[in-house]
Amino acid sequence: MGKVSKEKILEILEGYDKDNITIATLGSHTSLHILNGAKQEGFRTAIVCAKGREVPYQRFDVADEYIIVDKFEDIVNEDVQQKLRDMNAIVIPHGSFVAYAGLDNVEDKFNVPMFGNRDILRWEAERDLERQLLVNGKIRIPMKYDDPSQIDRAVMVKFPGARGGRGYFVASSTEEFNEKIDAMKERGWIEDADVEQAHIEEYVSGCNYCIHYFYSALNDEVELMGMDSRYESSIDGFVRMPAKDQLSIDISPSYVVTGNHPVVMRESLLPQAFEIGDKLVKSAAELVKPGLNGPFCIQTLVNDNLEVVVFETSARTDGGTNTFMEGSSYSYLKYGEGMSMGRRVAREIKMALENGGFEKIIT
């Protein structure tokens, strides 16, 4: 089966009742502010939710329609797709949608209009493609190691896909790398196939800033929407121990994201933040047309030379956007009102409905 074509999606969209568009997403990750923001902009909302996971959406009353499935992966089933099309639905992708639906299914089988560029989702999931985007944009990134035998200093080891930090670890030698790989396998966090795709990069010591942007294809503008940092287990618990206790216990901490908190960057660093966002948008437009479209995130570390170093990207709504459901310091400066990422997405769709330009924002 070939890839879902943009022409087919636009044909489906052409048959929609434009006065009754529904904003839909998968019930996980960032769906609360996606749906709440859509309601703020006057849209009907729908959620595809795994049985037993619907309680938060009911309690917060963010969805007008529920499609309950046995498991999240069922969103790609044809009967679910038809229900979405019957609702005139535009689906907003997020990390859980990509992880559960599967990239192959999103690219080849999901015949429902989606906000953004579905082709770029693979570029964030595959480390070599992601790195290609950053290198092409001349963005400062950590040095990469091609083989564990090359490890000669502290490195961060990551694995493919949207894992929320699960299985990531720090190693300082080839022997430590192998020991921790074996420990991760025992915990069931990684498999042999993952090890072959392990991404090994220089460990950069610095403060974590995950910077959230929105690229408006309609306005041709990169907007800085907010920033967050992460609560990560078990590393955050580990570093709270006194140093003598850290040395005396046998723990190999990982970096599983369990929550997020809002942050602001010192103002003198903001020119770098804008420059990096602009560079990534330009690079993506060159390598995977039409490029980044809508929300994206650049995960960074700021070292003691006040240099912003990029270590990861997300080419869709990132989990840290949950920290500014009423807007951030930065989105307030831009809009003068509470502007979540979900509301910003809905406003872009609303602008296309009013002024045209769906071909720029829907795939």
Side-chain angles (χ1 to χ4, degrees):
M1 183 181 294
K3 286 191 175 184
V4 174
S5 70
K6 183 165 185 174
E7 290 73 22
K8 181 173 183 179
I9 292 299
L10 291 176
E11 183 180 334
I12 292 169
L13 191 63
E14 185 62 31
Y16 275 11
D17 178 356
K18 301 300 194 303
D19 293 326
N20 290 289
I21 293 292
T22 298
I23 303 297
T25 195
L26 191 72
S28 183
H29 197 262
T30 46
S31 50
L32 285 170
H33 74 75
I34 287 172
L35 299 181
N36 182 67
K39 278 182 168 290
Q40 289 177 305
E41 292 297 308
F43 290 100
R44 287 188 60 76
T45 58
I47 194 162
V48 180
C49 200
K51 192 179 301 180
R53 297 280 293 270
E54 65 271 19
V55 172
Y57 314 106
Q58 293 172 339
R59 294 289 183 91
F60 289 119
D61 193 26
V62 294
D64 297 308
E65 302 285 347
Y66 287 80
I67 301 175
I68 305 298
V69 294
D70 291 329
K71 54 188 185 302
F72 281 131
E73 294 92 324
D74 293 340
I75 192 171
V76 299
N77 290 354
E78 183 51 41
D79 62 326
V80 176
Q81 292 189 47
Q82 189 59 55
K83 287 177 182 177
L84 289 167
R85 290 190 293 263
D86 289 344
M87 293 177 186
N88 306 301
I90 295 173
V91 171
I92 313 301
H94 51 56
S96 292
F97 171 79
V98 174
Y100 288 121
L103 272 173
D104 290 340
N105 289 328
V106 172
E107 290 173 342
D108 300 341
K109 298 179 181 178
F110 195 62
N111 290 292
V112 180
M114 283 175 51
F115 182 82
N117 177 10
R118 74 175 73 196
D119 289 338
I120 204 170
L121 297 175
R122 186 168 294 279
W123 286 68
E124 72 157 33
E126 298 186 8
R127 299 290 179 192
D128 288 342
L129 290 176
E130 178 188 47
R131 191 172 184 87
Q132 190 178 337
L133 274 176
L134 295 167
V135 170
N136 183 67
K138 296 180 173 57
I139 294 168
R140 166 71 164 96
I141 55 178
M143 181 177 69
K144 180 188 175 186
Y145 291 78
D146 295 322
D147 190 270
S149 64
Q150 299 174 341
I151 296 174
D152 59 355
R153 69 191 74 180
V155 297
M156 174 66 78
V157 182
K158 305 175 182 178
F159 299 93
R163 293 168 173 258
R166 181 175 291 274
Y168 293 9
F169 63 86
V170 174
S172 297
S173 67
T174 304
E175 293 72 24
E176 186 178 3
F177 173 90
N178 291 329
E179 289 171 4
K180 291 188 174 180
I181 285 290
D182 290 341
M184 292 296 172
K185 285 182 181 178
E186 288 179 11
R187 299 175 77 172
W189 282 12
I190 60 173
E191 300 175 356
D192 288 339
D194 295 319
V195 179
E196 294 173 5
Q197 301 179 65
H199 180 88
I200 307 170
E201 67 184 26
E202 161 198 9
Y203 182 85
V204 177
S205 179
C207 300
N208 174 222
Y209 293 87
C210 299
I211 311 173
H212 305 282
Y213 303 86
F214 185 94
Y215 173 64
S216 172
L218 299 180
N219 296 333
D220 188 23
E221 182 181 8
V222 179
E223 302 172 15
L224 178 56
M225 294 291 294
M227 297 185 195
D228 82 283
S229 188
R230 276 75 200 277
Y231 292 109
E232 296 169 327
S233 185
S234 57
I235 186 65
D236 281 342
F238 186 72
V239 299
R240 291 176 66 186
M241 296 180 184
K244 64 180 181 64
D245 295 325
Q246 293 180 29
L247 293 170
S248 65
I249 60 175
D250 184 20
I251 289 182
S252 180
S254 189
Y255 294 79
V256 180
V257 178
T258 63
N260 311 73
H261 52 94
V263 296
V264 293
M265 184 178 273
R266 62 186 287 178
E267 200 162 308
S268 60
L269 292 173
L270 289 178
Q272 286 189 68
F274 278 107
E275 180 183 20
I276 291 168
D278 291 344
K279 282 182 172 181
L280 190 61
V281 166
K282 183 175 184 292
S283 178
E286 292 170 354
L287 297 181
V288 53
K289 295 183 183 302
L292 288 162
N293 188 346
F296 67 99
C297 174
I298 300 178
Q299 299 183 39
T300 74
L301 291 162
V302 178
N303 61 27
D304 55 6
N305 291 324
L306 298 181
E307 180 183 28
V308 181
V309 182
V310 175
F311 66 90
E312 204 158 301
T313 64
S314 300
R316 34 73 197 169
T317 304
D318 182 89
T321 55
N322 287 328
T323 61
F324 57 97
M325 293 191 191
E326 289 186 308
S328 74
S329 303
Y330 302 111
S331 65
Y332 177 77
L333 286 168
K334 173 70 176 175
Y335 287 98
E337 61 179 326
M339 183 62 65
S340 69
M341 189 66 84
R343 187 174 187 183
R344 182 62 189 88
V345 170
R347 184 163 292 186
E348 190 85 346
I349 294 171
K350 190 174 183 180
M351 287 168 57
L353 281 168
E354 294 173 349
N355 305 315
F358 264 122
E359 73 283 355
K360 295 181 180 180
I361 66 170
I362 301 294
T363 57

